[in-house]
Amino acid sequence: MYEPIRSKSVHSVADPAQSPHRSREAELDIQLAGHLAALLAVTDELGLDEAAEAVAAQVARLRGAPPARHAALSRSDDAALHRRAHALAGRALVVAASRADTAVAILAAQRMDAHAAALKGRHLVGTS
């Protein structure tokens, strides 16, 4: 009654050896660099030059090239930018911890502390 399937499924990879695969470590590097690049954009917008340079150095290390720097301004208020930066640093911290990148984990934790302090009205080193 039904005709048997005579061709290969369109849902399977034709040649698994030729399909691109990244290691878990490479995927985490890409994800971490993305979180740090987003953090860099917000840090640049806040005008935190010293902190931005530290973040940019880690992005360059992960990507193997210096990052593009944020040029446009979102015109967001500082509190909203600090909340966004705090969240991005938190994401970077989680990924850095899972890939055992101590340098980025420390930097992300410092940025989280600085942005939390800025939101509470306190001033920490590296938030100027």
Side-chain angles (χ1 to χ4, degrees):
M1 215 168 193
Y2 293 103
E3 183 154 344
I5 298 173
R6 295 183 184 173
S7 62
K8 291 189 177 207
S9 170
V10 296
H11 299 289
S12 63
V13 178
D15 184 7
Q18 290 188 2
S19 63
H21 291 287
R22 291 187 193 110
S23 67
R24 180 176 185 276
E25 192 71 22
E27 289 292 340
L28 289 174
D29 283 350
I30 292 166
Q31 188 178 20
L32 184 56
H35 290 317
L36 289 175
L39 177 60
L40 176 61
V42 177
T43 305
D44 275 342
E45 187 164 354
L46 283 165
L48 307 174
D49 296 334
E50 186 179 318
E53 290 306 318
V55 174
Q58 292 302 321
V59 174
R61 180 181 62 85
L62 289 165
R63 289 188 175 164
R69 298 301 287 263
H70 191 267
L73 298 176
S74 69
R75 308 265 187 244
S76 295
D77 66 303
D78 282 357
L81 290 172
H82 282 294
R83 281 191 296 277
R84 176 144 174 77
H86 186 272
L88 289 165
R91 291 182 189 127
L93 178 59
V94 169
V95 177
S98 70
R99 77 180 284 284
D101 190 329
T102 307
V104 174
I106 291 170
L107 175 63
Q110 289 171 342
R111 297 313 315 143
M112 287 181 73
D113 288 346
H115 293 295
L119 286 167
K120 291 179 182 176
R122 297 189 322 249
H123 181 72
L124 289 179
V125 176
T127 62
S128 58

